Amino acid sequence: MSKLKSTTELKSLQEKLGKTQHRDRPTIVVSSGTCGRSRGSSQVYAAFEAGIKDRGLADKVNLRDSGCHGFCQAEPNVVVYPGEVFYANLKPEDAATILDETVGKGQVVDRLLYADPGSGKKAAKLGDVPFYTKQKRLISGRNILLDPTRIEDYLAIGGYSGLAKALSMEPKAVTEEVVKSGLRGRGGGGFPTGLKWQRLGQGTPKYVICNADEGDPGAYMDRGLLEGNPHSVLEGMVIGAFAVGATEGVMYVRTEYPLAVTNVTRAIEQARELGLLGENILGSGFSFDITIARGAGAFVCGEETALIASIEGRIGEPRQRPPYPSEKGLWGKPTIVNNVETWASVPIVVEHGGEKFASIGTKGSKGTKIFSLVGKVNNTGLVEVPMGTTLREVIFDTGGGIPDGRKFKAVQIGGPSGGCLPADKLDLPVDYESLTAAGAMMGSGGMIVMDETTCMVDIAKYFLNFLQEESCGKCFSCREGTQRMYEVVDRITQGNGRADDLALLEELATMVKDASMCGLGRTAGNPVLSTLANFRGEYEAHVLEKKCPAGVCKALIHYRILVDKCTGCMACAKACPQKVISGEKKQPHRIDQSGCIKCGICKDSCKFDAVVVE
């Protein structure tokens, strides 16, 4: 394809490519992001490829290697068109069956359909799978429509139409459209995107940065978008640059995302070749280009001033604000920093209008939000829902509830600095204001579900350990405060808690919150404050009764075999790595507590619930 010289040529190419997609043919789409590949999607794709060749169907069947479809629990999965037939948890040998039965005869293969873990009901179509029915996949839904390595696929579904429309407008009008949409930054702060653009300072050159330094434990929304639809992010950056008059852009992406780096690198090269990046974009006279800066994985570099320092080759540490990056950012010049999901939302806002985008969501939180739903929940994956959807709808309707009939206990939302919300907050609408009022935060979208077997003190310890290791150490309050809090909570889980520890924790958490400079430090006390506020009884049980109600903290528990339930099957004795379980066959067994390492393997191996934790 030759370089495009106008928006008219772009539209013509979009139409041409749309006609060459052979949408009348059967199409097999393999979900193949990092999560899919880790579970064998590449082998499944190869099996389809070989099967199509063997059957002489190369000119009759489309096979697409797409980004992640969101439903990680069902990986590897494929969607077969026409009919939108959804097959889950496939193995390479299933490819032949699907080709022969579904593609060849139009028959659905019942044994390969997804079955809801709660009801057991099978869903034949993608739209019937409970994981998808309540989602509104405004941004992530396009992953399934394209191969992320092919700009032709993105153009064929109308990609870069938002840019074409923006170039027909005055830059100021583009920003006003974003203001009208109510789009807020999806990276954690929730600052209004259009307002940030309007506040960009004077001076040249101006920069735009895509913050793809996603570091929250369990979060991978940005990775999913960069891997599955990198051009949507690039298009958003070009539109933003045009709106604010920037000439250079930087994609700051962590090196731990190799597939995302590969796909976005290829996408930048493709966009340059077509004249969608570089000099005189689409003949508009507007020039803009993007380079990639790879981060080393420091959590603190998700903070925009630390990120800028890292790009400049300095230590990734936050600095005091003001001046804000919009006034003095990269190389001391006015800079806009937005994250991946925010940039991917911009083309939709511009193409379809700010008012339409603003019609989704709540009064103060517009549009949709992608969450990575993980932890003790049946359906894990990337979930995109309208702002205002309740936690209950996300966790139980889309997530399928808690596995093995266990009770929901809490959801940790907002990353390591977020908050743990208990069961009485399940009907809380997920929006910026409601989460903040409840003591949590939107963050970038990590959502970790916990059941009754989770110890909230242990959870606080986990996040405090993460925060103390990831603190850049610049602020004494954050550096020493997170370490001290970790030491106190660790002491509690070891059975050495003191009566005044809870008051000490509250004091430390408040001090860290009040005295730290950057947003990460100011929220570092949240794991303690939110778990103390909502699960204080568990802390008191650890400190005062020396018990762990959830049976997690090893220093406070022991395993015991119930004589009336033990059948003497010997499964626990055979599984015990310490060989400290004894007893005759068909006679109750016992555990020698002096040698038990409390690994829990005996409990897992018992089919009669005879092993208990006390």
Side-chain angles (χ1 to χ4, degrees):
M1 295 185 289
S2 57
K3 184 169 287 190
L4 300 169
K5 299 176 182 176
S6 67
T7 55
T8 303
E9 288 188 5
L10 170 65
K11 186 175 182 180
S12 176
L13 179 60
Q14 289 171 328
E15 292 174 350
K16 178 183 175 183
L17 291 171
K19 293 175 182 175
T20 59
Q21 291 294 298
H22 302 296
R23 290 175 179 148
D24 54 328
R25 295 178 183 172
T27 300
I28 301 166
V29 187
V30 181
S31 177
S32 199
T34 291
C35 47
R37 293 183 183 202
S38 68
R39 298 188 68 174
S41 66
S42 297
Q43 290 78 7
V44 170
Y45 180 88
F48 273 112
E49 196 171 39
I52 289 171
K53 182 180 179 182
D54 292 344
R55 289 163 178 76
L57 297 174
D59 296 331
K60 298 177 182 177
V61 175
N62 296 331
L63 177 62
R64 183 184 304 143
D65 199 20
S66 78
C68 177
H69 299 175
F71 198 0
C72 301
Q73 194 73 32
E75 297 282 6
N77 64 72
V78 304
V79 179
V80 183
Y81 298 93
E84 203 179 53
V85 183
F86 181 76
Y87 292 125
N89 302 121
L90 298 181
K91 297 177 181 176
E93 53 266 34
D94 296 323
T97 304
I98 292 171
L99 285 170
D100 292 337
E101 299 299 321
T102 305
V103 176
K105 301 175 184 176
Q107 300 293 318
V108 173
V109 185
D110 187 74
R111 70 175 178 85
L112 299 178
L113 294 176
Y114 169 77
D116 182 79
S119 64
K121 185 179 179 181
K122 292 186 174 181
K125 296 181 179 180
L126 183 78
D128 295 335
V129 177
F131 178 78
Y132 292 108
T133 52
K134 286 204 172 182
Q135 293 194 53
K136 188 173 182 62
R137 296 167 59 80
L138 197 65
I139 302 164
S140 59
R142 291 186 293 179
N143 281 15
I144 202 169
L145 302 175
L146 54 90
D147 177 341
T149 67
R150 289 170 45 84
I151 192 172
E152 296 91 337
D153 286 9
Y154 187 62
L155 292 171
I157 62 170
Y160 287 100
S161 292
L163 172 61
K165 183 177 178 182
L167 293 176
S168 71
M169 303 164 65
E170 290 296 324
K172 186 177 179 181
V174 176
T175 299
E176 288 172 351
E177 203 65 39
V178 177
V179 172
K180 196 184 302 178
S181 73
L183 175 65
R184 296 172 64 172
R186 302 304 198 227
F191 193 81
T193 303
L195 184 59
K196 179 185 280 190
W197 294 10
Q198 285 180 330
R199 290 184 176 180
L200 188 66
Q202 299 300 312
T204 57
K206 295 182 175 70
Y207 297 96
V208 297
I209 294 175
C210 178
N211 183 350
D213 193 53
E214 185 175 53
D216 294 1
Y220 52 100
M221 301 76 59
D222 292 351
R223 191 193 75 201
L225 286 175
L226 283 180
E227 289 179 354
N229 193 0
H231 281 288
S232 66
V233 184
L234 300 185
E235 185 182 359
M237 291 180 70
V238 182
I239 293 172
F242 174 74
V244 302
T247 54
E248 297 179 44
V250 180
M251 173 75 69
Y252 186 85
V253 56
R254 50 178 46 214
T255 302
E256 294 98 318
Y257 285 179
L259 183 59
V261 172
T262 298
N263 285 357
V264 80
T265 300
R266 182 184 286 112
I268 288 173
E269 292 169 353
Q270 292 172 338
R272 281 197 194 115
E273 290 173 4
L274 268 184
L276 297 165
L277 278 177
E279 296 292 326
N280 193 21
I281 294 173
L282 294 175
S284 65
F286 167 62
S287 299
F288 173 74
D289 210 342
I290 298 173
T291 56
I292 292 178
R294 295 202 284 183
F299 177 69
V300 74
C301 285
E303 199 278 341
E304 58 184 7
T305 61
L307 180 152
I308 288 171
S310 176
I311 293 174
E312 293 176 344
R314 296 183 286 115
I315 296 174
E317 291 178 340
R319 64 162 171 79
Q320 191 71 45
R321 298 178 302 176
Y324 291 93
S326 58
E327 304 163 287
K328 190 176 181 181
L330 185 62
W331 310 116
K333 300 297 182 182
T335 303
I336 293 294
V337 183
N338 285 127
N339 86 325
V340 171
E341 188 178 343
T342 311
W343 286 123
S345 301
V346 168
I348 295 169
V349 168
V350 174
E351 182 179 0
H352 302 289
E355 286 186 2
K356 187 169 184 179
F357 188 87
S359 67
I360 305 168
T362 65
K363 183 179 179 182
S365 303
K366 303 297 186 183
T368 60
K369 179 74 188 79
I370 304 174
F371 295 95
S372 60
L373 185 64
V374 298
K376 305 290 183 62
V377 63
N378 278 311
N379 301 332
T380 57
L382 295 177
V383 175
E384 183 177 355
V385 292
M387 291 283 194
T389 302
T390 66
L391 286 170
R392 186 185 301 278
E393 289 173 311
V394 174
I395 296 167
F396 285 89
D397 295 347
T398 301
I402 312 302
D404 304 322
R406 290 174 177 157
K407 292 181 180 177
F408 169 86
K409 187 171 190 177
V411 58
Q412 202 276 350
I413 184 168
S417 304
C420 294
L421 300 177
D424 63 8
K425 295 291 193 298
L426 274 172
D427 292 315
L428 189 76
V430 180
D431 58 55
Y432 292 99
E433 294 76 15
S434 300
L435 289 173
T436 301
M441 57 190 283
M442 182 73 76
S444 61
M447 194 178 282
I448 303 173
V449 181
M450 305 163 195
D451 68 13
E452 57 189 321
T453 65
T454 305
C455 171
M456 302 311 295
V457 184
D458 186 62
I459 285 293
K461 186 173 80 168
Y462 168 80
F463 283 113
L464 286 171
N465 186 46
F466 177 86
L467 290 167
Q468 66 145 356
E469 289 188 348
E470 293 293 336
S471 171
C472 73
K474 188 172 184 177
C475 292
F476 176 86
S477 55
C478 179
R479 182 182 70 239
E480 301 298 327
T482 53
Q483 184 176 357
R484 187 76 178 110
M485 283 191 289
Y486 172 77
E487 290 170 356
V488 174
V489 174
D490 183 54
R491 184 171 71 216
I492 292 173
T493 61
Q494 296 298 327
N496 300 315
R498 303 166 187 164
D500 60 350
D501 273 349
L502 304 192
L504 176 60
L505 280 172
E506 287 175 323
E507 183 182 357
L508 286 167
T510 304
M511 180 275 296
V512 172
K513 182 179 180 181
D514 292 343
S516 298
M517 180 180 65
C518 78
L520 301 182
R522 288 197 297 272
T523 56
N526 283 353
V528 164
L529 292 174
S530 69
T531 49
L532 271 174
N534 296 311
F535 303 95
R536 194 178 190 88
E538 283 199 45
Y539 278 90
E540 291 174 342
H542 283 68
V543 173
L544 304 177
E545 302 172 30
K546 306 301 179 189
K547 290 183 178 178
C548 175
V552 173
C553 299
K554 288 187 176 181
L556 301 174
I557 62 171
H558 69 273
Y559 287 84
R560 186 168 69 89
I561 297 176
L562 299 176
V563 173
D564 58 332
K565 285 194 173 183
C566 180
T567 64
C569 69
M570 303 186 76
C572 59
K574 293 176 182 175
C576 177
Q578 296 299 102
K579 303 303 178 188
V580 295
I581 299 178
S582 60
E584 299 295 326
K585 190 174 183 179
K586 296 186 179 180
Q587 296 295 319
H589 283 46
R590 58 188 173 279
I591 301 173
D592 177 2
Q593 298 294 334
S594 64
C596 178
I597 60 173
K598 303 170 185 177
C599 63
I601 292 177
C602 55
K603 188 174 189 302
D604 294 339
S605 64
C606 181
K607 299 179 180 178
F608 306 99
D609 295 328
V611 182
V612 295
V613 185
E614 296 178 326

